[in-house]
Amino acid sequence: MTGYFEAVPGGGAAIALDEVEVSILRSLSVQFLELLGPGDVQDSDADPLAELFAEGPSKPPEDPALARLFPDAYEDDTESSDFRRFTENDLRTRKRDDALTVVRTLDAAAGGPVLKLSPDESRQWLGALNDLRLTIGTRLEVSEDDNDLYRLPDSDPRKPMVMAYLWLGGLQETLVETLMR
């Protein structure tokens, strides 16, 4: 099972990860959480309906990776601004929850031989793996016809991130295949 996801009875997925792989996934997820920034702190005495009417940012993020994660929905600036104001907070929350699920499930496994994910955790992992790849791909300026990634010399400073990018792609692919069974 090492290196790829397999289906488990009742849905979900399982994968065997070694300590290095766990460390890399956890580190990338924590860095992604830092990139997203803190979530909204909810006051327990606050009006529960207030969250429904909270408005988010109206301008695209300046960071290219965040702009890739939260792209404009429309060509028209006004429509895009309105759409972003009412959707970005929820998207950030979902992305944050997905990454937190990765960290928490890795921590809960505590170095066990096999990490078992419920169907919901599997879907959250899939979202987090996708977000991590998009972020790294943006940082590396990956394009569709970029076959040079496979031929980087070991001395290239991008090599570790390229290896992480490709590895995450493999994990993502096997998780998709597992969930489609």
Side-chain angles (χ1 to χ4, degrees):
M1 172 182 301
T2 188
Y4 58 90
F5 284 93
E6 290 185 1
V8 295
I15 188 169
L17 297 169
D18 64 30
E19 289 179 29
V20 172
E21 292 167 325
V22 167
S23 176
I24 291 169
L25 273 172
R26 191 177 192 294
S27 176
L28 291 172
S29 297
V30 168
Q31 289 176 56
F32 180 75
L33 287 164
E34 291 170 354
L35 175 67
L36 285 177
D40 293 332
V41 177
Q42 296 295 324
D43 180 1
S44 60
D45 296 328
D47 178 4
L49 294 177
E51 183 178 329
L52 292 175
F53 301 103
E55 292 187 11
S58 60
K59 295 181 182 175
E62 291 183 23
D63 183 296
L66 289 174
R68 178 68 178 99
L69 292 167
F70 305 106
D72 283 332
Y74 301 98
E75 289 183 25
D76 178 71
D77 288 342
T78 302
E79 289 176 352
S80 241
S81 176
D82 287 343
F83 184 80
R84 181 178 302 284
R85 253 187 22 242
F86 296 111
T87 61
E88 188 170 318
N89 284 344
D90 288 341
L91 287 172
R92 279 182 186 266
T93 298
R94 185 184 54 78
K95 291 177 182 305
R96 192 176 293 107
D97 289 347
D98 290 351
L100 279 170
T101 295
V102 170
V103 172
R104 288 177 178 147
T105 54
L106 290 171
D107 288 351
V114 177
L115 176 68
K116 292 182 182 175
L117 304 173
S118 70
D120 286 340
E121 290 169 335
S122 297
R123 285 186 286 281
Q124 288 183 288
W125 266 67
L126 189 57
L129 291 171
N130 186 62
D131 290 340
L132 290 172
R133 286 193 74 239
L134 284 173
T135 301
I136 293 170
T138 302
R139 295 283 190 244
L140 292 170
E141 298 178 349
V142 172
S143 66
E144 286 184 32
D145 52 319
D146 198 351
N147 293 325
D148 293 337
L149 292 178
Y150 297 100
R151 294 185 285 273
L152 285 179
D154 290 342
S155 60
D156 192 308
R158 300 173 298 162
K159 181 83 176 216
M161 288 312 295
V162 167
M163 297 305 294
Y165 174 80
L166 297 172
W167 176 60
L168 291 169
L171 290 178
Q172 185 179 12
E173 181 179 352
T174 64
L175 184 52
V176 167
E177 290 171 356
T178 297
L179 295 177
M180 291 181 66
R181 291 185 199 152

